[in-house]
Amino acid sequence: MKRELLMPKLGLTMTEGAIADWMVGASQPFKAGQGLYVVETDKVANEIVAEGDGMLLEIAVQIGETVPVGTVIGFWDDAPAGTRAATPVAPAAGATTTAAAAATATATASTAATASSAPATPARQDSPTPAAPTPSTAAPPVAGAPTRLIASPYARRLARERGVALARIAGTGPNGRIVARDVQSAAEHALPVASALATQVMPPSSAPAAIARTTQPAPGADYDLIAPTARQATAARRLTQGKQETPHFYLALEADVSSLIALRKEINEADLGVRLTLNHFIVKAVIDSLRKHPALNRVWSDQGIVAYRRIDVGIAVDAPGGLLAPAVTDVGGITIRALAARLTDLAERARAGLLTAADQGAPAITISNAGMHNVTYMTSIINPGQAMILGVGSIKAVFRPDDRGQPVLRQELGLVLSLDHRIMDGVAGLKFLNTIVHCLEHPAQLLLH
């Protein structure tokens, strides 16, 4: 039976997604557990795999296109030529069940009545088993190499963008899976082009409308117009939306982190089995401040103000394909040792392209730490669906007067908190930011929770 394949909802705040890759072509059959397509948001890329056997009949949304959740992206047959029907999809972890999401998540009769006349889909988001690349997108295999390439969706996209032959890469991931770091390493050694889908350089006439509206060079000037990746296009659209629709206001303070630097050095030199960074303390300070000010752990929505019962914190990560903002979830009572392990794992998976829908979480705030890039203050744009973002600058050595008016050398950290004025006012925001500063200036307190 011909059925619709819909854009799934992979997180609480997801309203749209981009097709980053089709792993099965039109009129091609697929098996249970085989990768069908890759959905990319401004935060993560998710490989959607088949729950059961079927055949992809038609592709309605092409690679690079972004469409709202619930949009028909293709059509499939759940029982072609005697194959068994696909079973229902398990919803993505942390996803809100809506009519559009249910259309992707289940094929039961009751859901079908509210979502669509034939909403079943063979996709799920767990335990991905990527399909082998089609002949049109893979380089000829090297002698002795396996004919079925196992690679993460992010690694596949990096390979296309950087012109790297997947067939010539030895995967270092689980079961020989090719991950992003393998592609990056191969790119540094200038391996041959692997795909005709490598990063495109477009003539000006075929530029997307969003690019065409920007200031162009003078007529006759030499320039290249480069198509943005799906993630870049989505992030640009979402951040523009956030800046236009969210009434931002900003608060800035400096924190004296002299004691924090000394405490961190003492802990790390003691070799206690954990290496703490300044960012670990900053994230812990935000968590403890949200515990003290639960009224700020909420976001604005068209249906009303959403007050979260648990604490999730978004973390900006500089990944090879662009900035990502996954979240550490349910960290209200976490110790700094456990938090350090969670943050390290999250950053590694983000850079390797191994994030899942569950890593989006439901944060009211994201932390963007640019301190390693020599910047005093950073004023950031709030991620759509959130209420705050904390921009963290570099530590600067400055002289400040002590109680007797004598100059004392201190290590100061510039913090800028961007807030949604629909949710909170300046007084509430300053109380929250001052609590963060207090935690950083009295770091021993961060070790007690």
Side-chain angles (χ1 to χ4, degrees):
M1 177 184 295
K2 183 177 181 179
R3 296 185 180 275
E4 295 176 340
L5 191 64
L6 307 180
M7 173 62 71
K9 186 177 181 68
L10 303 176
L12 289 172
T13 61
M14 178 179 172
T15 59
E16 62 183 8
I19 299 296
D21 195 9
W22 280 103
M23 304 176 71
V24 174
S27 302
Q28 288 186 347
F30 52 80
K31 296 291 184 181
Q34 181 176 343
L36 297 180
Y37 58 98
V38 178
V39 174
E40 188 171 62
T41 69
D42 56 333
K43 297 180 181 179
V44 298
N46 286 272
E47 181 177 312
I48 312 301
V49 302
E51 185 79 13
D53 299 346
M55 175 179 287
L56 185 62
L57 301 176
E58 179 184 344
I59 292 174
V61 176
Q62 302 301 317
I63 294 175
E65 290 187 49
T66 300
V67 295
V69 166
T71 300
V72 176
I73 61 174
F75 297 90
W76 65 285
D77 191 338
D78 62 355
T83 58
R84 64 181 177 86
T87 53
V89 183
T96 301
T97 302
T98 63
T104 308
T106 181
T108 61
S110 61
T111 304
T114 59
S116 71
S117 59
T121 172
R124 68 178 182 185
Q125 287 78 46
D126 57 332
S127 303
T129 305
T134 59
S136 62
T137 60
V142 181
T147 57
R148 184 171 183 270
L149 293 173
I150 303 177
S152 72
Y154 190 45
R156 291 177 183 274
R157 197 190 72 190
L158 280 180
R160 289 196 302 271
E161 292 177 353
R162 303 190 180 191
V164 175
L166 281 176
R168 298 177 180 273
I169 299 176
T172 62
N175 301 316
R177 183 182 179 91
I178 300 172
V179 294
R181 61 176 176 267
D182 303 322
V183 178
Q184 294 161 19
S185 176
E188 293 173 357
H189 292 83
L191 291 181
V193 172
S195 168
L197 296 178
T199 302
Q200 305 174 38
V201 177
M202 305 184 306
S205 60
S206 62
I211 296 179
R213 286 195 296 269
T214 61
T215 303
Q216 299 293 335
D222 293 331
Y223 66 93
D224 294 326
L225 199 57
I226 301 174
T229 65
R231 181 187 298 172
Q232 289 172 328
T234 301
R237 182 167 46 255
R238 294 270 287 165
L239 289 176
T240 300
Q241 171 194 349
K243 188 64 173 178
Q244 291 175 340
E245 298 181 0
T246 303
H248 287 56
F249 74 102
Y250 310 94
L251 302 171
L253 286 175
E254 293 86 24
D256 181 356
V257 293
S258 304
S259 297
L260 173 56
I261 292 173
L263 177 63
R264 171 183 172 268
K265 181 180 179 181
E266 182 179 350
I267 292 174
N268 289 342
E269 288 180 349
D271 195 18
L272 301 177
V274 59
R275 297 287 297 180
L276 297 179
T277 68
L278 291 175
N279 199 53
H280 295 154
F281 284 96
I282 293 169
V283 177
K284 188 64 166 63
V286 169
I287 293 170
D288 288 0
S289 298
L290 281 175
R291 291 175 59 193
K292 187 172 182 179
H293 303 280
L296 275 74
N297 192 26
R298 54 183 61 183
V299 298
W300 181 271
S301 76
D302 293 338
Q303 292 73 38
I305 296 174
V306 179
Y308 292 129
R309 297 176 181 173
R310 75 179 193 188
I311 294 177
D312 295 356
V313 176
I315 308 296
V317 178
D318 186 16
L323 197 66
L324 295 173
V328 282
T329 59
D330 199 11
V331 289
I334 198 169
T335 66
I336 196 166
R337 178 189 291 266
L339 177 64
R342 291 273 302 274
L343 289 171
T344 299
D345 172 70
L346 187 69
E348 289 177 350
R349 289 190 293 109
R351 295 187 179 104
L354 299 177
L355 294 175
T356 68
D359 292 316
Q360 295 189 58
I365 185 172
T366 286
I367 299 171
S368 184
N369 188 348
M372 66 291 297
H373 297 299
N374 190 28
V375 58
T376 303
Y377 300 100
M378 184 173 66
T379 303
S380 306
I381 300 174
I382 300 171
N383 290 322
Q386 298 182 21
M388 298 178 286
I389 184 167
L390 180 67
V392 181
S394 306
I395 296 175
K396 303 290 185 180
V398 296
F399 282 99
R400 299 294 187 194
D402 61 13
D403 295 338
R404 297 174 297 175
Q406 299 301 312
V408 177
L409 184 63
R410 303 186 186 278
Q411 302 291 326
E412 288 191 354
L413 180 66
L415 303 173
V416 180
L417 183 65
S418 307
L419 306 100
D420 184 347
H421 221 323
R422 297 172 298 181
I423 299 293
M424 60 206 72
D425 56 24
V427 173
L430 280 171
K431 288 181 178 178
F432 177 68
L433 183 56
N434 272 286
T435 301
I436 295 174
V437 171
H438 177 82
C439 290
L440 295 175
E441 292 184 343
H442 301 82
Q445 297 180 10
L446 298 174
L447 305 179
L448 301 178
H449 300 289

